[in-house]
Amino acid sequence: MKIITCFKLVPEEQDIVVTPDHSLSFDNAAAKISQFDLNAIEAAMQLVSDGDEIAALTVGGSLLQNSKVRKDVLSRGPDSLFMLQDARLERALPKEIAQALAVAAEKMSFDLMLFGEGSGDLYAQQVGLLVGEILQLPVINAVSNIQRNGDKLSVERTLEEEVEVIELTPPAVLCVTSDINVPRIPSMKAILGAGKKPVNQWQASDISWNPSSPQAELMEITVPPATTRKHIILDNDSPEAIAELAELVKKALN
């Protein structure tokens, strides 16, 4: 079985700065693998058996130039890394990202594609589903467990009041939840070995990716103004205090 595990590079949250005009500055933010995609990579590693192949795939803009993150991905188990870098993907929304991933996946060939439940920045939870639709493959989201049964897969979806068990035959696209596993920390041996694994960097022309005009565009991300805390403390449960609390809550809601 050939598995493609997709991931997205996102800015390190602690390095993002809120500017005086309530916008976000990513100038000093390092790149990292989206936390939810670490679950997809780990899920691929738990499915693999002798003779299987795991390829990591990502698309994006300037963040893909970070060699440290490339080594981080490969140290977590994938046999190879494929990247499509293009300026048009710098601020791309889910549909454009899904189209690029679908074209790249078709070029690579695969039996199973794995995605995290969302990305650490937008968290739209759309990309995996859109890729499955574009490729016209079975696609299941909210996957909390995957088991191999010969040539078939048994997939569990944990819902509010029940657990669905779905059996399917690859090729397929699965989007796993963060509850499916706990991603392992790479060993020193794995980190050193990651530098010897192949990295394939594509441009749009290499895979015949011709993006259509986007139907929506991300214009800006702003932060709501911070609200000053009132520091009102009611330290008893008298009727008067309760009435005062109710009045304060009413004013806050209005």
Side-chain angles (χ1 to χ4, degrees):
M1 178 182 289
K2 182 173 182 180
I3 303 173
I4 295 178
T5 178
C6 297
F7 68 96
K8 184 178 184 181
L9 296 186
V10 298
E12 179 65 61
E13 292 90 347
Q14 64 184 9
D15 297 333
I16 300 173
V17 176
V18 179
T19 64
D21 63 352
H22 305 297
S23 63
L24 297 179
S25 173
F26 302 94
D27 294 344
N28 298 316
K32 72 170 187 176
I33 305 169
S34 175
Q35 185 65 36
F36 303 106
D37 294 331
L38 295 179
N39 297 110
I41 296 172
E42 180 65 24
M45 294 306 302
Q46 294 180 4
L47 276 176
V48 73
S49 60
D50 292 341
D52 290 343
E53 179 185 351
I54 298 178
L57 171 63
T58 188
V59 302
S62 58
L63 289 181
L64 300 190
Q65 297 172 356
N66 190 309
S67 59
K68 181 180 178 180
V69 179
R70 299 179 192 181
K71 183 175 287 188
D72 186 16
V73 173
L74 291 170
S75 69
R76 297 176 183 275
D79 302 298
S80 57
L81 171 61
F82 293 81
M83 303 185 300
L84 170 62
Q85 183 175 355
D86 192 282
R88 290 167 290 185
L89 292 167
E90 190 73 45
R91 293 165 62 90
L93 293 176
K95 181 180 179 181
E96 289 71 45
I97 293 174
Q99 289 172 334
L101 286 170
V103 173
E106 284 187 309
K107 183 176 179 64
M108 296 165 63
S109 77
F110 65 94
D111 299 296
L112 182 66
M113 287 188 77
L114 293 177
F115 289 84
E117 60 184 323
S119 63
D121 48 7
L122 296 179
Y123 196 66
Q125 298 179 279
Q126 296 177 12
V127 173
L129 299 174
L130 289 169
V131 170
E133 171 64 21
I134 293 169
L135 297 177
Q136 290 294 286
L137 292 176
V139 55
I140 303 174
N141 69 338
V143 173
S144 55
N145 189 26
I146 310 171
Q147 299 293 330
R148 291 178 67 168
N149 299 318
D151 295 333
K152 295 185 178 182
L153 297 174
S154 179
V155 175
E156 292 184 5
R157 300 178 76 239
T158 302
L159 307 179
E160 284 191 22
E161 298 180 354
E162 59 186 7
V163 176
E164 289 184 348
V165 180
I166 304 169
E167 190 175 81
L168 70 157
T169 302
V173 178
L174 304 180
C175 306
V176 304
T177 68
S178 56
D179 297 327
I180 194 170
N181 55 47
V182 177
R184 288 170 285 185
I185 298 175
S187 65
M188 183 56 66
K189 181 180 179 181
I191 294 172
L192 294 174
K196 301 177 182 178
K197 295 181 179 180
V199 175
N200 304 276
Q201 187 161 354
W202 288 327
Q203 303 298 323
S205 58
D206 296 327
I207 60 172
S208 301
W209 174 60
N210 297 306
S212 57
S213 299
Q215 295 176 324
E217 183 179 352
L218 178 62
M219 301 300 295
E220 62 178 352
I221 301 175
T222 58
V223 179
T227 302
T228 304
R229 294 189 178 187
K230 302 298 183 182
H231 296 290
I232 299 173
I233 300 174
L234 304 176
D235 58 358
N236 64 80
D237 58 357
S238 65
E240 293 78 10
I242 294 173
E244 184 180 355
L245 173 62
E247 188 63 27
L248 290 169
V249 172
K250 182 179 178 180
K251 289 180 178 179
L253 293 176
N254 293 332

